[in-house]
Amino acid sequence: MASLSPLQICIVRVRLGEAYYPRPCVILTVEGTSLRLAAISSKMDLYRPSEHLLIREDDPDFSATGLETASYVLGVPIFRAESDRVLAVKGALTGDLAKAFTDWIG
């Protein structure tokens, strides 16, 4: 697989609540072969503006994400995974969306 870098959106199997299946995640950091990841969900009925970062379909940078529908990033929990667990790279956060994410995640 090509080299991985922060702000890329990749598919990784992570446990979130009762669910344990491949889901999109934003790469926060790459430390050798270890990744820190923030999960992405499209379950909009669970979206909380005070806790999540919304990725809207009408955002000019949405197409670069590789996501199929409006989604949001969960800041908690942060996951760790080895890079060999990445199943695919979908896209990346770019432009104003990348800036909003970086400001939001801290």
Side-chain angles (χ1 to χ4, degrees):
M1 177 164 301
S3 116
L4 298 170
S5 60
L7 301 182
Q8 284 183 311
I9 296 176
C10 58
I11 304 297
V12 181
R13 182 182 300 269
V14 295
R15 180 173 304 282
L16 189 58
E18 298 297 315
Y20 183 65
Y21 55 81
R23 73 167 50 248
C25 296
V26 179
I27 298 175
L28 302 175
T29 61
V30 178
E31 301 157 1
T33 60
S34 180
L35 307 173
R36 286 182 55 241
L37 307 163
I40 298 174
S41 178
S42 60
K43 303 278 189 206
M44 295 310 291
D45 57 320
L46 299 176
Y47 169 67
R48 303 291 178 261
S50 63
E51 300 173 25
H52 305 135
L53 177 73
L54 182 62
I55 302 174
R56 298 182 339 262
E57 288 176 302
D58 63 350
D59 188 292
D61 300 306
F62 181 80
S63 63
T65 67
L67 298 171
E68 297 170 10
T69 187
S71 302
Y72 57 92
V73 183
L74 293 79
V76 175
I78 299 299
F79 297 95
R80 287 198 174 271
E82 290 300 308
S83 59
D84 62 359
R85 296 199 38 216
V86 172
L87 303 173
V89 175
K90 298 284 284 179
L93 298 177
T94 61
D96 288 341
L97 194 50
K99 181 178 179 348
F101 175 79
T102 302
D103 291 347
W104 172 77
I105 200 75

